[in-house]
Structure formats: C-alpha cells, structure tokens
Amino acid sequence: MIPQNYLEDASGHRGEAEALFVPSSEEELSALLHQATLSATPVTIAGAGTGVAGGRCPQGGWVI
C-alpha cells in the first residue's frame, strides 16, 4: 500500500498509483526510468506536496 502523502498534495486532490519507488542512487533512478520507458508506464515525480494544483498527484503508473 502506498502512503497517502505520496498520492496527494496540499489541495487535497488524491491520485492513485501502481507502485512507489524511492531510489537511493542516480543509477537506480536511471534504471527505473528506463524500465518505465520500455513498459510505457507513466511516472509522477513526488515533490514536497505543497502545491495546490494537483500536479504531483499520480493518475496511475509509478510514483518516484
């Protein structure tokens, strides 16, 4: 289960995602993005969650 704070921002808008990844290195991030490209999986980059427009709320795919 993905923690809710990765699925919403300060607007209260809530998204959904298939998986959450927290890469520990640039190489790991690169590999994740490469795999997402190969599988045509949408990726949302989770920032601090202070936005109020819902831009960091995933609409499927992966959250990084």
Side-chain angles (χ1 to χ4, degrees):
M1 181 179 211
I2 299 172
Q4 187 165 331
N5 61 320
Y6 284 98
L7 301 176
E8 65 183 19
D9 66 6
S11 71
H13 180 75
R14 189 169 195 279
E16 59 182 53
E18 298 166 15
L20 167 67
F21 296 96
V22 183
S24 59
S25 68
E26 187 176 329
E27 292 78 17
E28 189 175 340
L29 174 60
S30 179
L32 285 167
L33 292 174
H34 180 72
Q35 187 60 38
T37 299
L38 292 176
S39 63
T41 301
V43 172
T44 302
I45 304 299
T50 58
V52 294
R56 69 97 80 181
C57 303
Q59 301 301 307
W62 298 348
V63 176
I64 294 179

